[in-house]
Each structure stands twice: as C-alpha cells, then as structure tokens.
Amino acid sequence: MALHSRSSSHSPGCSRTVTIDKLDFDHHRKPPPPSDGSEVSGPTGLLRDDESLLSNILDGVIERDRRKLRRNIIKYASLVWALISCLCAGSITTFSLYAPLFLSRLRYTQFQVNAVSVTGELSQYLPITIFGYLCDRYSPRPVFLASAVFFGAGYLLAALTYRQGPPQEGGWPPGVMMVAFIGVGSGTASMVISSVTTCAKNFSRSKHRGLAFALPITGFGLSGLWISQVGSRLFTEPSIAGEREDVDVYRYFIFLSGLLFAVGLTGAVVMQVANEEELIDEAVDGLERSGYLEDNPLLQRSIDDSSASYGTLTRPQSSGSSVHDRRPDDALRKTLVLNTETRRFLRDPAMWLVTAGFFLVTGPGEAFINNLGTIISTLYPATNFSIPHSNSAVTNVSVVAISSTVARLLTGALSDLFAPVGSHEPNPKSFTLSRLAFLIASALLSALSQLLLASTLVQRHPALFPVVSALAGLGYGTVFSIAPIIIGVVWGAQNFGTNYGIMCVVPAGGAAVWSAVYSAVYQRGVAQEMENLCFGYRCYGATFLGMTVCSLVGAGLWA
C-alpha cells in the first residue's frame, strides 16, 4: 500500500505526484515478530517468562529438599550403625571375666595377666590418633574396614592360644596372647573413633549434639553388660573344682571374632559424613577471624583460589576445569585447613590442662576395671574360696556397665540442657552449668570409689563391693562422655578425630602405670601364699590409696 499526495512546486506551472512508501519511515523501528511464534512480546511473553522463573525456583526447592532428605538419611543411618557398632565394640571391657582363668587354667602370673591387659589397653589408645587422623583426612569407611580385620584376627588368635593350654605343658607363650590383644585393642580403637567421629561431624550444629556424642559412647559402655552376660550364660564349662561354671574362653573368643568382623564389615559400607564441605568452610571462617591465616600464606592462597568463582551460582565448566580437575585443589585446601586446626589445638594451654586431668583420672579407672576380678578374689579368705554370685566378677562387670551407661546418657543430655549459650540467643537460660563441672564430678566420683577400697571397709564387708563398682562406673562413664563433647564444642568438629585421638592417648599411659603398681603390690602379697593368688587388704590397699590422691589432683586441675 502506498500513500499518494499531491504537491506543487514553487515554480509556476509545474506539478508532480509523490509516492511515500512505508520504508520511508524510521528504518530503526523494531520489525514485527515472526509469524512462527518463536518470539512473543507483550503480556503473553511476560507470562511465559514468569512461568519459567517459577519453574526454576520450584526445581531448586525440590532439589534442595532432596539433598536435605539424603543428608538426613545418611546422618541417622550412620548414627544407628554407630550405636550398634559401639554396643559390640566394648568387648575388651569384659577382660575381668576371663582374667582369673588366665591365672588358674593357663597358669600365668599376675604380671603376665596384667601384661596382656596393658597390651590391650595400649593398643586401644595409642593408635587412636592415627585412626582419628584417617577419619578426618579420608573418611570413616576404611577405618571401619580395618576394625573388622583387627577384631576378627585378634580374637581368633586369642582363642587358639587359649586352647593350647598352659605354656608349662607345651602351650603357646604369653607373648602370643599379647599379640592377639594388640589386634583386639586396635579393633576397639578403630571402631569407636570412627563411630564417634562420624556422629560428631554429622551433628556438629544440632542443638542435641551432646546427646548425639553420648549415644555411641553410651553404647560402648553398655556393651560390657550384655557381652559379659552372653559369655557367662551361653559359653560355660565346669570349673576346675567342679563347684561352679566358668566361661568357656575358647568358644567365647570365637563368637566375638565372628560378631565383630561382621559389624566392622557392615560399617565400612554404611558409615558416611554428610556435610564435610560445610565443616571445612566453617573452619576457614574461624581461622580468618582468629588471624591464623596470616601465618600461613600457602593456606591463604589455597582459600583464595577456591573462592575465586564463588560469586556465581555455578562454576564455569567451559574453561576446561571439571569436577575431577578441582579435586586436587579441594583436597589440598582441606589438608592445609586440618593441619592448621591441629597446630591450633596443640598450642592451646587449655587443652593441656584438660589432657593432664584426663591422664590422672582415667588411668586409675582403667586399672580398676581391668583388675576387678582379681580384686574381688582378695576379699575372701583362702580357706573358703567361695565367691557368692551377687558379688562375682560377672555381676560387678554388669554393675560397672549399667552405672557407666546411666552416667553417659545423663551427661550428654544434661550438658545440652544446662550448657551456657551465647548472648545473641533469643531465649537465654535461667540456669547454666559449665561442662567442666561434669569433668570435676567424674573425678570426685572416681576418687570416692577408690577411697572406699583404700579404707578397710570393703575388706571387712565384701558385700559393699558393688557400691564401689557403681561409683567407679559413674565416674568412668562421665569423664569419657563429657571429654569428646568438650573437644567438639571448643575446638570444632572438622578436626575432631585427630584432636580426640590425641587426648585419648593419655589413658593408656595412666592404665599402664597403675596396672603395674597394682601388679607389684599384688605380687608382693603372693610371696606368702600359693599358686600366684593373694588374699587380704595387703594385696591392693596401698594401690588404691595412691589412686585416690591421683584422682583428687586431676579434679584440682579442672577446678
């Protein structure tokens, strides 16, 4: 279509017709949309843009919920299996159940029995730092797999050694039994530290983290109860005198070997940390606030490189960097952060005070539990060596386990309930209690149990021995429950396995020292008796007097 207009010239007699085409208008005007509908403007296009934006938001919400659900499944499945694992991992705490049979059937001396016990204790605590380090740097899964191998091989070798009989009659020497308990102790350390570390990392920001810490530790304390009952009821054989039944140590060890191998193997599949990257990011923030990054330029550069593309929603993939290409940088950043956290932990004077008290309080407790069976035997005269079932080793091991379990659960729950909160909290608590108060209480309970034995009261009234066992269990359970909670709260969960492993080394030294003292005092009394057995207050009195002083000094360090 063309527009026609008539125009006249200024020159007279001259006229013409001018045609104005649509192209003569502004040629920069936007052309009309194509008829195929590939581009839509106006209200319809805006509506489609809104629908696309809403769809993206919904997809993001759904994906976020899926990640949250998956994370919760991982967290709670790992918590359940950590509890099951620790319910089985404390088999070494039933040592008192068969220690007297090492004396009577294998004819070991008290020094040799304690050598086996201390070997297990050292293996339970000395490698725990290495296992915790592996949990932090890699994952709990390989550590769980190692626990299956340690437990399976250790108890199998112990069973075969016991079956060979006394060394004097051609049996294997006590050194072989010590090697077997290296495996048992290492299995205990690897299974417990991987369980507790997994829970510590998965529930580091939960308001019930104290309870999450306490559950696997409670399971460990409770394991001695049910395992000792299984051993004393399902695996028995007639005693030498024929008056009662003893534990069939060979079948008992075979049972533990198979059970713990299966538990460790399953844990290698189930146990996972759900939010490890967030823990590392939190650690970086804490290091930046504390100024530690200024002393570590390599870590600072690694963090700067990792955060270079955080301004966008997703990292560009077209630059030639893939997920696998970034893994070495992320691994280096994680290693540098955790190494810095370890140095920070070791340089903190408060850590050394807590560790020193841990050494002084846990050593006597470990020695008491390991020698509980022989202590009971000293309470009854040699002429009437008949221990009532109400005061037997099995009964007292159960008392220790129950009281320790109660203490661990209460400590975890009460530390969450009464722990001080920050000033920014919307609802401050009317009553708070420092977690150090639980440490001091554990030391005082342990000291009271040792004081009862240091006096002659229990020797004159052996029926009171379960009271001693209950107090010892309460003190032992409290200290081993609150210590990891304090480490996780004060020094963070990102390096928990390494930090807790460092602190857990010290009970091995305390147990070794006090077991050696107990053996020396006991053996000195044996010189006047027969067949390596000692009876009376002289077998243990001086030992527990020293333990009482030791526990009180530990309480003083924490006060």
Side-chain angles (χ1 to χ4, degrees), residues 543-554:
T543 301
F544 283 92
L545 182 61
M547 288 181 177
T548 304
V549 175
C550 188
S551 295
L552 291 175
V553 172

Side-chain angles (χ1 to χ4, degrees), residues 119-151:
T119 299
E121 291 291 335
L122 292 175
S123 302
Q124 183 180 349
Y125 291 112
L126 291 182
I128 200 169
T129 303
I130 299 174
F131 295 138
Y133 177 90
L134 294 175
C135 286
D136 288 334
R137 266 59 177 184
Y138 301 99
S139 83
R141 286 178 166 180
V143 182
F144 247 97
L145 182 61
S147 71
V149 176
F150 283 130
F151 268 131

Side-chain angles (χ1 to χ4, degrees), residues 10 34 127 158 224 297 314 322 379 386 397 403 408 420 456 458-459 483 500 519:
H10 292 285
T314 58
S322 64
L379 302 177
S386 178
V397 167
S403 58
R408 292 170 201 249
T456 58
V458 177
Q459 185 64 49
Y500 185 51
S519 297

